[in-house]
């Protein structure tokens, strides 16, 4: 089974802190995604990556950056956390090319609270 | 812009059939997916339609009409455990995938 692991289930940070959210997948997937989920807004795409060192902005990239130095790992960085970044963050991965079945595999989520 | 519209909430009784609609407006379209998410859990994949028509997987079916930018998820023989949020998602160019705001399904006894 595909496993997507997010490093922390719950984090509490202070305004202005730098925050790293780590995500690792074990199925050699090319595509990786970061979403945030807020009540009534669904999942909103922050960034995605289709290959090592490649990244594309999603719909709400402001205040975030990402890093993909290795195929299995995709990190989300909040350079200076703000209270409006309090949210559930979900990482996902998928296959690329002709093997893609449309399925995204999600991690369990990281609930970030910024005080 | 890009948007997906789906009802915010649907209520149905156990054993019934319910349809959750999704209309989309996106730049680039490769397919429509559906996901289920229980409270506190991660979204889990239900189905994917790349071509027009109906796809059936057990009690769940999904339909796509590309010309109408419309799809739906059909849940039959509803069970209490089907109470969850359901999201439609569009795969666009470069495998970018965006989601709707979700439909909360309440199944009553």
């Amino acid at each position: 089974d595909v496993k997507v692991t997010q490093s922390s289930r719950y984090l509490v940070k202070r305004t202005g802190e730098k925050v790293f959210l780590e995500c690792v997948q074990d199925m050699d997937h090319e595509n990786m995604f970061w979403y945030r989920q807020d009540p009534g807004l669904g999942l909103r795409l922050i960034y995605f990556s289709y290959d090592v060192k490649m990244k594309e902005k999603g719909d709400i990239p402001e205040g975030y950056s990402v890093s993909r130095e290795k195929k299995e790992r995709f990190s989300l960085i909040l350079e200076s956390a703000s209270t409006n970044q309090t949210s559930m963050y979900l990482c996902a991965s998928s296959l690329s090319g002709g093997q893609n079945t449309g399925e995204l595999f999600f991690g369990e989520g990281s609930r970030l609270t910024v005080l | 812009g890009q948007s997906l519209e789906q009802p915010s909430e649907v209520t149905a009784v156990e054993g019934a059939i319910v349809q959750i609609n999704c209309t989309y407006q996106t730049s680039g379209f490769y397919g429509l997916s559906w996901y289920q998410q229980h409270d506190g859990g991660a979204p889990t994949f239900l189905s994917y339609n790349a071509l027009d028509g109906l796809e059936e997987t057990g009690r769940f079916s999904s339909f796509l009409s590309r010309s109408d930018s419309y799809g739906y998820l059909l849940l039959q023989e509803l069970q209490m455990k089907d109470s969850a949020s359901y999201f439609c998602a569009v795969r666009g160019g470069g495998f970018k995938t965006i989601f709707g705001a979700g439909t909360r399904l309440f199944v009553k006894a």
Side-chain angles (χ1 to χ4, degrees):
Chain A
D1 282 350
V2 174
K3 192 166 177 67
V4 179
T5 304
Q6 295 184 227
S7 55
S8 305
R9 287 299 305 274
Y10 301 94
L11 304 94
V12 179
K13 299 292 182 180
R14 297 206 175 274
T15 301
E17 279 192 78
K18 191 169 185 176
V19 182
F20 292 87
L21 299 179
E22 306 284 343
C23 175
V24 177
Q25 49 94 4
D26 66 359
M27 281 300 290
D28 203 35
H29 284 175
E30 293 84 2
N31 304 318
M32 296 189 75
F33 307 79
W34 275 108
Y35 294 89
R36 64 176 282 176
Q37 184 173 21
D38 301 287
L41 297 178
L43 284 74
R44 291 181 291 165
L45 181 63
I46 305 171
Y47 269 97
F48 67 104
S49 168
Y50 53 89
D51 202 351
V52 174
K53 296 192 185 296
M54 305 304 289
K55 60 185 179 183
E56 294 282 344
K57 291 181 180 180
D59 296 329
I60 53 164
E62 297 79 17
Y64 304 94
S65 62
V66 290
S67 172
R68 190 156 182 213
E69 296 297 317
K70 293 185 177 182
K71 191 174 185 180
E72 67 270 19
R73 187 180 297 269
F74 193 35
S75 302
L76 180 69
I77 304 153
L78 288 68
E79 293 289 342
S80 178
S82 63
T83 55
N84 62 14
Q85 292 178 309
T86 291
S87 186
M88 172 67 83
Y89 290 88
L90 289 163
C91 174
S93 70
S94 74
L95 285 165
S96 188
Q99 295 178 301
N100 183 275
T101 60
E103 180 173 3
L104 267 60
F105 297 85
F106 282 88
E108 290 299 312
S110 298
R111 182 166 293 283
L112 172 67
T113 300
V114 183
L115 302 175
Chain B
Q2 302 185 98
S3 66
L4 287 84
E5 299 290 331
Q6 53 182 125
S8 60
E9 197 175 292
V10 173
T11 301
V13 297
E14 211 173 2
I17 299 172
V18 71
Q19 179 174 314
I20 300 173
N21 298 320
C22 175
T23 58
Y24 58 87
Q25 184 177 8
T26 59
S27 55
F29 178 87
Y30 284 83
L32 183 72
S33 301
W34 288 92
Y35 290 80
Q36 179 191 61
Q37 185 180 33
H38 285 100
D39 287 345
T44 56
F45 175 79
L46 293 175
S47 67
Y48 178 68
N49 295 66
L51 302 174
D52 286 358
L54 190 68
E55 296 278 345
E56 297 181 68
T57 309
R59 294 187 297 114
F60 294 1
S61 303
S62 57
F63 172 83
L64 174 66
S65 169
R66 294 175 67 133
S67 61
D68 295 323
S69 298
Y70 164 76
Y72 66 72
L73 179 69
L74 192 72
L75 297 83
Q76 301 183 70
E77 301 172 19
L78 278 175
Q79 302 175 8
M80 298 298 288
K81 68 178 181 180
D82 296 329
S83 292
S85 293
Y86 293 83
F87 296 90
C88 58
V90 165
R91 185 196 138 193
F95 297 96
K96 178 179 180 180
T97 303
I98 61 171
F99 284 73
T103 298
R104 184 86 178 186
L105 171 64
F106 295 95
V107 179
K108 294 185 172 182

